[in-house]
Structure formats: C-alpha cells, structure tokens
Amino acid sequence: MPALEDAPRAPGRPRSVRVDEAIVSATLDLLAEGTTVDVLSIEAIASRAGVGKATIYRRWPGKEALLHDALATLKLPGPELAGESVRDDLIALLSQVGPTGHDPRFPKILPCILPHLSRSPEHYQAYQDIIEPRRNRVRQVLRRGVANGELRADLDIELTMAVLIGPILMQRVVRWHPDLDADKMPEQVVDLLMAGIAPH
C-alpha cells in the first residue's frame, strides 16, 4: 500500500483529515477482523493505514486515545426528537441502541470490546464517555415526561433507563433470544414499560 503520510505543510496549517480518517478506519478494520484490544498495536494500525508510526503519535499520545476516538465514530449523533410524546421520543432513541447498521463493522467490534471493559478501568471510562451523551438524552426525555405529567412523579430515572436499554442491547449484541426481532423491540419495550411508568 502506498504511504499516506502528511504532505509538507506550512506552520499552523491544519493536519490532514484524510490521514486521520485512514488511521481511524485502519483501527476499526483490525478490530472487526478479530484483532483483540490487547494485541492491537500502533505498528499494525500504521501498516494498515499506510502511514508511519510517528504520524499516529503526532495525533494521539498512544493506542488508548486512538481507540477511544475510533470507537466514538461508531456512534450516531442521535435522532432529532419531536418533543411531543415521551413514547415516540423513547422509541426513536432506543432504535439506535447497540450495533444498528451505521457502520457494518460495529456488530463485529462491539462484542469483542465489551469483555475488555471489565479488565481495563481506562477503557471502561472511555466507553462511559462515549455513551453518556446518548444516555443523557434518554434521561432528559424521562425527566420531561415526569415534569409534564406523562410519567409518574416518583419515577426512578436511572433504573428506568437501564430497563429500557438493557433488553435491546442484549438482543443486538449477543442475540439473547433467537425469536425476538431487535428492530421491533424499541417500540415493544417502550409500550410494555409505559404501563408501569405512566401515572396511576
């Protein structure tokens, strides 16, 4: 593969986005092909991306930081919410939980990195940093529902989020139940739980 190094640039000129993308894509490709997080190396990433190791180190201080940024690209920015119905907004948000087809590598990568999170506090925190903005959107919808009376005033927001997201994540990551359709589950789970979280 021909080298994809940075072209000479004047002082202050922004770094090459094309090179950044090649490095991130190489990282995700290697993970999707089965390279474990432990085995993944800057050398292998550089070789796949067609750059030198120094090019990567000018952008990221090490593998951990690069891995964090690469995994962050797998998450969609999130759907636009109408803000008119808690039910509809929750369904829209839950439809993007887990590997949802934004990047075909995601379904292959996520099951491989989840076990590693329990062994690495740094990667666990990186994972939390990635998912917290999405989790916060669910939190905001639930709080709005409590405030406007769509949901119970005594609702446990954090537990409700776990109950909403957990089944869909399990189905999409490990296909926990072969007879359940993960694409239908956001609506099914929300409707099942609304009876319990709506005002009595």
Side-chain angles (χ1 to χ4, degrees), residues 10-142:
R13 179 181 171 186
R15 70 191 196 190
S16 169
V17 173
R18 181 166 169 251
V19 173
D20 289 0
E21 291 174 346
I23 294 168
V24 166
S25 184
T27 303
L28 297 177
D29 284 343
L30 289 167
L31 290 171
E33 291 167 7
T35 303
T36 66
V37 173
D38 292 330
V39 172
L40 185 69
S41 67
I42 293 296
E43 290 84 354
I45 295 168
S47 177
R48 174 63 66 92
V51 302
K53 290 191 295 182
T55 301
I56 295 179
Y57 284 119
R58 281 197 295 270
R59 291 161 163 77
W60 292 276
K63 183 177 77 171
E64 309 297 327
L66 171 54
L67 185 62
H68 179 284
D69 287 353
L71 294 176
T73 67
L74 295 173
K75 298 299 289 182
L76 289 168
E80 292 294 327
L81 302 180
E84 299 174 356
S85 162
V86 167
R87 175 187 179 273
D88 292 346
D89 286 353
L90 288 176
I91 291 171
L93 291 171
L94 265 58
S95 69
Q96 293 188 355
V97 169
T100 56
H102 163 57
D103 188 313
R105 294 170 294 193
F106 196 4
K108 298 176 182 177
I109 292 173
L110 187 58
C112 298
I113 65 171
L114 287 178
H116 191 74
L117 301 181
S118 64
R119 304 194 302 270
S120 168
E122 293 81 9
H123 287 143
Y124 177 76
Q125 186 56 54
Y127 173 71
Q128 293 298 323
D129 292 343
I130 291 169
I131 67 171
E132 179 60 20
R134 179 65 55 82
R135 189 163 48 206
N136 197 46
R137 296 192 76 195
V138 178
R139 189 180 287 121
Q140 290 171 354
V141 170
L142 294 173

Side-chain angles (χ1 to χ4, degrees), residues 158-180:
E158 303 305 313
L159 180 59
T160 300
M161 283 200 302
V163 174
L164 285 166
I165 295 170
I168 298 168
L169 189 59
M170 279 290 291
Q171 189 65 20
R172 284 190 167 147
V173 173
V174 300
R175 291 190 66 229
W176 181 80
H177 195 310
D179 296 332
L180 292 177

